[in-house]
Amino acid sequence: DGGITQSPKYLFRKEGQNVTLSCEQNLNHDAMYWYRQDPGQGLRLIYYSQIVNDFQKGDIAEGYSVSREKKESFPLTVTSAQKNPTAFYLCASYRGGAYNQPQHFGDGTRLSIL
Amino acid sequence: AQTVTQSQPEMSVQEAETVTLSCTYDTSESDYYLFWYKQPPSRQMILVIRQEAYKQQNATENRFSVNFQKAAKSFSLKISDSQLGDAAMYFCAYERSSGDKLTFGTGTRLAVRP
């Protein structure tokens, strides 16, 4: 079955440490997105990528970095510059073109500070 | 910038009854997409219903229907014959064009009383 796989499900970060969240999709979707969800709030866009080797900052990109070397993969690195990284992170993908379908979400990664 | 407002942090409904969740948004665009997503305790984001702004007909999906008032920039969700499995956070979201970023409201937590 096609879908989006996010790993790990739970992640802990020590102070001053960079951590990377994985997002892999086998839907052959062109665009991929990273959203952050804080308690009691909706999702906010961190980064997105419409095609391989290209990505754009979203509304809250500071302290995060991404890469898009393969169509299937869009990893998110939470750097030590992100002072409040504790949140739930959701990856999404979108097919693009004339298909006009909504974004498809993964199951998320919960990141906590040790 | 587009904004989405959900003014009801919590709602409660008796099983088998009908409940309406409110959402308003702000945009200067004439064509766009609106969504309702359900987030159960598992934290998955599940698409409930999607409305294309250029379509005057309100979208329906089984027990879920919307009241889309474009001039008033209002997009409410009606859940008929509420079931215990409907208990979740519900998020209203706006998308300027297909594949663009999603802008979310802060959510409404729906409880269903047996």
Side-chain angles (χ1 to χ4, degrees):
Chain A
D1 286 339
I4 299 177
T5 301
Q6 289 189 241
S7 61
K9 200 171 181 68
Y10 300 95
L11 186 59
F12 298 91
R13 195 192 89 168
K14 295 180 181 178
E15 293 287 346
Q17 186 182 48
N18 293 354
V19 292
T20 298
L21 284 60
S22 171
C23 178
E24 303 277 333
Q25 55 99 357
N26 60 4
L27 300 165
N28 198 33
H29 284 183
D30 298 302
M32 298 185 74
Y33 312 78
W34 275 106
Y35 292 91
R36 168 179 170 144
Q37 185 178 25
D38 292 287
Q41 296 193 30
L43 282 63
R44 293 180 291 167
L45 183 68
I46 304 172
Y47 267 99
Y48 65 103
S49 168
Q50 305 275 23
I51 57 173
V52 175
N53 292 324
D54 188 44
F55 48 83
Q56 286 78 39
K57 293 182 178 180
D59 299 322
I60 54 167
E62 186 174 349
Y64 299 96
S65 66
V66 293
S67 63
R68 186 87 186 278
E69 297 176 2
K70 298 186 300 181
K71 188 175 185 178
E72 303 78 23
S73 178
F74 191 41
L76 174 73
T77 296
V78 184
T79 74
S80 56
Q82 173 48 247
K83 298 306 178 188
N84 185 22
T86 298
F88 187 64
Y89 292 85
L90 280 156
C91 179
S93 68
Y94 168 72
R95 190 167 187 181
Y99 296 98
N100 194 22
Q101 294 179 354
Q103 292 180 24
H104 185 94
F105 283 86
D107 289 343
T109 293
R110 186 185 300 274
L111 175 62
S112 302
I113 290 292
L114 282 178
Chain B
Q2 293 85 11
T3 58
V4 177
T5 302
Q6 294 179 250
S7 58
Q8 306 155 315
E10 297 182 351
M11 293 283 285
S12 180
V13 63
Q14 191 75 34
E15 195 176 5
E17 298 292 310
T18 295
V19 64
T20 298
L21 308 184
S22 300
C23 173
T24 59
Y25 59 95
D26 186 28
T27 183
S28 58
E29 305 290 330
S30 58
D31 288 331
Y32 47 88
Y33 299 87
L34 296 165
F35 305 83
W36 279 98
Y37 280 91
K38 172 184 177 182
Q39 190 178 46
S42 66
R43 307 295 295 269
Q44 273 188 301
M45 292 295 285
I46 302 167
L47 178 66
V48 175
I49 203 163
R50 180 189 193 217
Q51 175 79 43
E52 298 171 36
Y54 67 87
K55 290 185 178 179
Q56 293 191 343
Q57 187 173 6
N58 289 325
T60 63
E61 287 289 340
N62 301 313
R63 299 182 294 108
F64 298 87
S65 62
V66 297
N67 183 6
F68 173 49
Q69 300 290 326
K70 191 173 184 179
K73 296 181 182 175
S74 170
F75 184 61
S76 61
L77 175 70
K78 185 172 83 171
I79 306 174
S80 304
D81 185 26
S82 296
Q83 300 176 359
L84 296 178
D86 294 334
M89 281 290 286
Y90 286 83
F91 291 99
C92 179
Y94 166 97
E95 185 181 52
R96 185 181 61 182
S97 60
S98 200
D100 198 4
K101 73 169 187 177
L102 289 164
T103 300
F104 286 84
T106 52
T108 297
R109 183 175 302 280
L110 178 66
V112 181
R113 305 185 302 274

